[in-house]
Amino acid sequence: MKTETHVERLRARLLGKAGTERPDAQASALRAVSTRVKPGPEHYDFAQFPELREYTSTRWYYDKQGYEWNMFREHVGVASAEAEVAGRRVINFSSYNYLDLAGDPRVQEAARKAIDDFGTSTGSGRIIMGEIPIFAEFEREVADVLGVEDAVLGVSGYGTNVATIGYLARRQDLILYDELVHNSMLTGAKLSGARRFAFAHNDYDALERLLVEHRGHFERVLILTEGVFSMDGDIPDIHRLIEIKKRHHALLMVDEAHSMGVIGARGLGVVDHFGLNGADIDIHYASMSKAFATIGGYVAGRKELITMLKYYAPGLGLYIASPMPANAAAGLAALRIMRAEPGRARRAVDNAAHFRTRAREAGLSTGLSDGSAVVPVMLADAELALWMSARLFDNNVFAFPMIFPVVPRDAARLRFFINTAHTREQIDRTIRLLVELKAAAPASKGLF
Ligand SMILES: Cc1ncc(COP(=O)(O)O)c(C=O)c1O
């Protein structure tokens, strides 16, 4: 007698008795689409995918304008206030290295030691055989800094946001997000299948209206915001968000990629800046590629939340290899320096304040930026942003243009990440150049 294999049992569960698809809504929707499509090369030849046109038209524009291609530029050495990019020594405003720790000998030594002790990979997921003491030490210290019970370290910043939101929210849940939250939060929200509504940037009345109208129709409600907004450099009113989320029995998640290690009297993020009780934020998140000078992401909060994420969240605890020992060790060393040397964060924030003051005195708009180390210089359109960035680079200053789709079409800008190692002279020289270049800029041709 033939015995059924586990693959056959699985297939039988997925298919109806007669071996056809179950007539669920998704399957019939898929069939309906497929009957109308006549496959052409645009469906199987990558060279004909419309997405590629975004790239080819951008390249065409650069060629036409005679700009050097500015993407994937190689640098050598450590990128901080200065860097060597494409063979040029530049004043660098395009690295997230807020605390100048990526080249710090203590951080580098910790990473080296982790490689000596554990190799370059744990070779396994944490649950199975990938656990090393550094992960738990990092998690304990992050939880301690934030005043919460526990934390979990993930391999990637982007992935940790996606995995956390994708895991916690379900079809019967609602996600309300500030319209300017990072793409990794949006991707997690889409993946979750929950109902999603954006509220206008920092518009707490709009958030309140959405809650009044919709709260009653959903089980879990997640409110997503950032500690410092990555494109605009402003800080939301976290006290107000906490008050709102408590009143509506919602959960608040704050992305501290650009606030942890930077804002607050001790540089320890929104908890420090607003004098919060850590437990008032349900889900603390940060990417480790900024002040932590490494790569990865963490989530911190109540121990029950962390247990679920560690054991069951795909892409965070489950179905993913452990972080690299050297990355976690670098992050832990950076965290310890962050705590011991709060002057680093203060200098970054003071340098940024100096940049904003000088820029505004010179008639440049720094948009919403306030209190953080992210400073945009707003420009009329994408063409001007690209032209200004190219000319700055010719003058040994590296600030990357931010244009659609990463910002709205009418909100092109140059974005400056200010760090603790920038000097006032570097900042003043950059502002002078910006003013001169802006005055000399050609009129836009409406090409972009
Ligand atoms: C606000 C914010 N969240 C999340 C991320 C993702 O972090 P990572 O790039 O380290 O994966 C970024 C990265 O730029 C970010 O700016």
Side-chain angles (χ1 to χ4, degrees), residues 96 156-159 161 181-182 184-185 226 228-230 255-258 285 287-290 294-296 415:
Y96 315 129
S156 113
Y158 191 101
N161 247 346
V181 294
H182 191 257
S184 51
M185 286 192 131
E226 292 185 12
V228 163
F229 282 88
S230 63
D255 179 335
E256 289 226 72
H258 298 272
Y285 159 90
S287 144
M288 310 267 291
S289 61
K290 281 71 180 169
T294 180
I295 193 82
R415 182 173 57 169

Side-chain angles (χ1 to χ4, degrees), residues 96-104 107-108 287-295 326-327 330-331 334-335 338:
Y96 315 129
N97 189 10
Y98 290 120
L99 302 182
D100 191 28
L101 292 177
D104 189 285
V107 177
Q108 294 188 340
S287 144
M288 310 267 291
S289 61
K290 281 71 180 169
F292 290 89
T294 180
I295 193 82
N327 286 344
L335 177 61
M338 217 180 268

Side-chain angles (χ1 to χ4, degrees), residues 361-384:
E361 282 168 1
L364 298 166
S365 165
T366 54
L368 304 174
S369 178
D370 192 15
S372 79
V374 180
V375 187
V377 169
M378 307 304 290
L379 296 168
D381 56 32
E383 277 186 62
L384 182 59

Side-chain angles (χ1 to χ4, degrees), residues 156-177:
S156 113
Y158 191 101
T160 298
N161 247 346
V162 174
T164 302
I165 299 166
Y167 172 75
L168 288 174
R170 309 150 305 161
R171 290 175 72 82
Q172 61 271 41
D173 300 328
L174 175 65
I175 297 179
L176 301 175
Y177 60 95

Side-chain angles (χ1 to χ4, degrees), residues 279-321:
D280 284 338
I281 293 175
D282 302 282
I283 307 164
H284 298 257
Y285 159 90
S287 144
M288 310 267 291
S289 61
K290 281 71 180 169
F292 290 89
T294 180
I295 193 82
Y298 69 74
V299 173
R302 279 181 52 184
K303 65 179 188 310
E304 294 85 355
L305 165 72
I306 303 305
T307 299
M308 290 185 289
L309 294 175
K310 271 176 106 160
Y311 281 86
Y312 299 113
L316 181 48
L318 207 56
Y319 305 121
I320 188 160

